[in-house]
Amino acid sequence: MKYGAFAMASAIAIVAANGALAESHVTPEAEVLHYWTSGGEAKSVAVLQEEFAANGGTWTDMPVAGGGGDAAGTALRARVLSGNAPTAAQIKGPSIQEWYQEGVLADISDVAEANNWGELLPASIASHMKCDGTWCAVPVNVHRVDWIWANTEILAANNIEMPTTWDEFNAAAETLQAAGIIPLAHGGQAWQDATVFETVVLGLGGPDFYQKALVDLDPEALGSDTMVAVFDQMRTLRGYVDDNFSGRDWNLATAMVMNGEAAFQIMGDWAKGEFLAAGQEPGVDFTCASTPGEGFLYNVDSFAMFEVGGEAKEAGQELLAELVMGPTFQEVFNMNKGSIPARTDVALDGFDSCAQTSSADMAASSDGGSLLPSYAHGMALFGAQAGAITDVVTAHFNSDMSSEDAVQMLTDAVANSM
Ligand code: GAL
């Protein structure tokens, strides 16, 4: 949808919302805590800020830098514990349930039911947004985690096809390394190591193994020879990153692929938002393909509203929830963000080929039972268990720990986290 049409759609949205606001004579307010601070992320969240303002709302932005959201989670906990919760915050997956158990989330069922969210969302997404049968969060999108991004020119110059197995990936990486090209752009942060790890678990073990190991936390799967093979592959991948990877932000790794410093990045499709924000085109400047193996690792961003009181903030929460699930926002935001809409009734005609692939693969995975929650991005486990796994993964990636020792450490860490 071109901006002009978006402006028209917003104008319509203003009229509709003002009808409601006119009765309430209150200016909706919202202080929103989120971690979308990279180029593509900031451009995306600006869509929501503009729509909120266009509907008469006053938006107070509370961005917390740090990809993956660890820093934002820490900032949110400090705010809530000090009795100063934001109006809304970007939280997702099981952490929504953890906050609900604290008794601090607002019930947004009225907005959800008035707008038929139950009919507009796949059950796999709606289930994350509900707390004891009430609606406690609003979904923004569906990101796919298990992607490889590549510099199209580097692949062509080195006669390399997008790998469909990890052996093919490794062979391509060896060719690139011999040609003096960094095979894998990576940011050495725990959540990024975890992102790569879960795609290897899915690719080497398959969907059922991923479910057993990283969702069910089955000790046999965690301690299996397959998991040894996963850590072997992680050790191999460690050999394909450059010497300066440690601490690098994910979007700077994406920039390395963009500018031809490196060939591949294994990252969720928020990376596509960076390519698009830089004016790059899929299939021309960059190439997308799912990481080797079948399945689809989903990561659904969402906002939850906190019990903050006050008519203006409650009106702000209502407006925010309504806009986030609105068809205009769901289309324009996701075009920028690299994700696909959470709503099932938004046409993807204007979306690019990578988004079309994501949507088709998500439907096929859902039908085939291989649509799986991303552990690395907080969709599968509570914080303690996810953190226990990530600590082992990043310790292994940043040392010469053997795969066998990593597997032992993994099974012990998960058992001790329960
Ligand atoms: C994910 C989040 C994405 C993107 C990414 C990098 O956890 O769901 O929207 O922000 O982190 O920050």
Side-chain angles (χ1 to χ4, degrees):
M1 176 185 276
K2 292 286 172 279
Y3 195 77
F6 167 59
M8 173 58 74
S10 294
I12 294 165
I14 295 170
V15 170
N18 278 350
L21 290 183
E23 290 148 33
S24 64
H25 302 299
V26 73
T27 299
E29 288 175 15
E31 182 199 15
V32 183
L33 187 153
H34 64 87
Y35 54 92
W36 288 329
T37 58
S38 74
E41 291 171 333
K43 189 176 174 192
S44 305
V45 74
V47 172
L48 184 53
Q49 292 168 1
E50 285 155 16
E51 254 207 314
F52 193 77
N55 281 273
T58 303
W59 173 291
T60 302
D61 204 30
M62 193 196 162
V64 180
D70 293 344
T74 303
L76 177 60
R77 275 189 294 278
R79 286 286 301 269
V80 176
L81 291 177
S82 63
N84 178 26
T87 319
Q90 180 192 349
I91 55 177
K92 58 183 170 177
S95 68
I96 297 169
Q97 306 304 319
E98 290 179 304
W99 281 112
Y100 174 75
Q101 296 305 327
E102 295 295 320
V104 294
L105 296 189
D107 180 348
I108 55 175
S109 300
D110 290 351
V111 178
E113 283 150 19
N115 292 281
N116 297 319
W117 291 3
E119 288 149 41
L120 294 170
L121 293 169
S124 56
I125 293 179
S127 64
H128 286 291
M129 306 299 140
K130 300 191 84 172
C131 301
D132 287 346
T134 66
W135 291 86
C136 50
V138 54
V140 171
N141 58 10
V142 180
H143 270 304
R144 182 180 195 171
V145 177
D146 48 316
W147 283 108
I148 300 179
W149 307 94
N151 179 294
T152 309
E153 195 180 326
I154 289 178
L155 295 195
N158 292 277
N159 196 26
I160 287 172
E161 298 292 321
M162 284 298 261
T164 59
T165 67
W166 286 107
D167 286 342
E168 284 176 9
F169 183 94
N170 298 343
E174 295 296 333
T175 303
L176 291 159
Q177 206 156 52
I181 297 166
I182 299 167
L184 182 61
H186 182 64
Q189 295 168 349
W191 71 271
Q192 295 187 63
D193 300 339
T195 299
V196 174
F197 172 77
E198 68 176 6
T199 70
V200 176
V201 169
L202 179 67
L204 287 186
D208 292 346
F209 177 76
Y210 179 98
Q211 174 72 31
K212 283 196 183 77
L214 299 185
V215 182
D216 303 340
L217 300 182
D218 171 56
E220 209 178 306
L222 290 168
S224 64
D225 290 343
T226 305
M227 193 57 83
V228 170
V230 168
F231 280 103
D232 288 345
Q233 178 59 25
M234 289 300 287
R235 179 64 62 226
T236 301
L237 291 173
R238 174 66 178 77
Y240 298 144
V241 303
D242 65 296
D243 294 341
N244 302 317
F245 82 100
S246 185
R248 179 183 289 133
D249 286 333
W250 67 274
N251 52 316
L252 300 183
T254 310
M256 290 171 71
V257 176
M258 235 183 266
N259 62 34
E261 262 183 86
F264 297 117
Q265 182 183 21
I266 296 168
M267 185 49 70
D269 45 22
W270 45 91
K272 188 179 75 171
E274 300 303 300
F275 288 108
L276 298 179
Q280 296 213 337
E281 270 188 69
V284 178
D285 305 298
F286 67 94
T287 303
C288 62
S290 62
T291 51
E294 66 160 298
F296 185 112
L297 298 182
Y298 70 79
N299 167 32
V300 175
D301 285 316
S302 48
F303 285 100
M305 316 298 167
F306 283 78
E307 286 283 7
V308 288
E311 221 185 323
K313 288 185 177 177
E314 284 163 1
Q317 291 173 335
E318 208 175 299
L319 177 59
L320 192 60
E322 193 133 1
L323 292 177
V324 167
M325 264 295 281
T328 307
F329 170 79
Q330 285 277 322
E331 181 178 23
V332 178
F333 173 89
N334 284 298
M335 276 182 177
N336 285 293
K337 189 70 170 61
S339 36
I340 57 176
R343 278 179 73 130
T344 53
D345 65 340
V346 175
L348 296 186
D349 307 53
F351 284 74
D352 61 44
S353 55
C354 300
Q356 304 285 350
T357 299
S358 192
S359 177
D361 287 358
M362 181 177 174
S365 300
S366 180
D367 294 344
S370 58
L371 177 62
L372 296 157
S374 163
Y375 117 79
H377 291 276
M379 299 305 295
L381 303 167
F382 287 126
Q385 284 68 49
I389 296 169
T390 299
D391 288 349
V392 176
V393 169
T394 200
H396 169 267
F397 199 74
N398 292 287
S399 70
D400 57 1
M401 186 190 297
S402 72
S403 300
E404 290 73 14
D405 287 350
V407 164
Q408 186 58 57
M409 194 174 166
L410 181 66
T411 48
D412 295 346
V414 169
N416 296 334
S417 74
M418 296 296 202

